[in-house]
Amino acid sequence: MSTKAKQTLKVASWNINSVRARLDIVERFLTEYAPDILCLQETKVMNDVFPEGLFRRHGYNHLALHGQRMHHGVAIASKVPIRDDDRLDWQANGEARHVGVRLDNGLRIENVYVPAGGEEPDRTINPKFGQKLDFFERMIDWSSKLDVPTLLVGDFNVAPLECDVWSHKQLINVVSHTAIECALMDRLQKAHDWVDLGRHFVPPPGRLFTWWSYRAHDWAKSDRGRRLDHMWASPEVAAKAVSHVVAEPVRSWARPSDHAALITEFAF
DNA sequence: ATGGTGGTGATACCA
């Protein structure tokens, strides 16, 4: 046993589907789960009207925002100091889909909202699908050049494994689980030797979903889930991870997001 | 095969 206590860090990631529409459940999440750092996607708010007060009241005094009007938008709220925040625009289209920070211990946290890709999995008739594929290509290029310990989190909008969806057979041609998307996820993973923390802690074929459609009459009963949200770590960072859970109860709270939060705890 | 729900912002569009 080391005489020096290990430093723990609890990081959460949550597609909130409008942070202003979810003030109550965000507050409940900060209270009940108390992460050190919360990464949000789909904040749907401009930076100047981001609800900073809620976060500051709970001790999240360090904020890195990348918002836009109506759609997309990402944010990192932290109890520990954050440095060198940056915002990548891989597609140079002005969409707010990334914000990254560096912590004092050198860890980088990269928070991403990958394009959903529309309905039709064919880029010749659906430009949104093409945008999604191109976004992954840019992430692969970026990823292959990374040389610092990094935690990559967010809504990747792809459920890559057969056991990452409620029915592989019924979703094989549905955007988020098509072969071309799964192949891109595989290339992205290999581009930095990323460790998929979800499957590190819940190996296949264990049940692991992060999203359930609003359209189900009883989402919990039908359990037609997909694992669209991910936390991937550089190998040396993954080695410090001690737990990883999907906070599934948040999907049952009043006026929920359709995504659950992911939480990984590290001991450095 | 279809439509089912929800956020934004005021009409369709996006998820």
Side-chain angles (χ1 to χ4, degrees), chain A residues 176-192:
Chain A
S176 75
H177 191 59
T178 62
I180 186 168
E181 291 168 277
C182 296
L184 280 166
M185 284 282 276
D186 192 53
R187 284 179 50 214
L188 178 59
Q189 183 272 319
K190 289 178 166 61
H192 182 68

Side-chain angles (χ1 to χ4, degrees), chain A residues 165-179:
Chain A
V165 294
W166 64 276
S167 168
H168 169 66
K169 203 170 177 177
Q170 293 187 64
L171 292 175
I172 188 64
N173 292 317
V174 173
V175 171
S176 75
H177 191 59
T178 62

Side-chain angles (χ1 to χ4, degrees), chain A residues 10-31:
Chain A
K10 191 172 178 180
V11 183
S13 174
W14 195 5
N15 179 320
I16 199 62
N17 186 18
S18 173
V19 68
R20 287 181 295 179
R22 313 282 175 224
L23 297 179
D24 291 346
I25 62 169
V26 168
E27 182 152 42
R28 183 172 172 187
F29 182 76
L30 297 179
T31 303

Side-chain angles (χ1 to χ4, degrees), chain A residues 40-91:
Chain A
L40 295 170
Q41 304 88 38
E42 281 206 271
T43 52
K44 298 188 177 179
V45 63
M46 301 274 278
N47 291 349
D48 59 353
V49 284
F50 185 90
E52 291 194 17
L54 165 63
F55 292 91
R56 294 191 187 280
R57 278 198 298 281
H58 287 268
Y60 297 82
N61 292 312
H62 308 274
L63 298 170
L65 308 178
H66 190 187
Q68 70 176 81
R69 191 177 142 87
M70 282 186 68
H71 298 301
H72 325 311
V74 288
I76 299 176
S78 176
K79 289 183 171 181
V80 300
I82 56 181
R83 318 286 184 195
D84 298 343
D85 52 299
D86 61 16
R87 289 140 193 82
L88 299 175
D89 181 3
W90 281 302
Q91 304 195 300

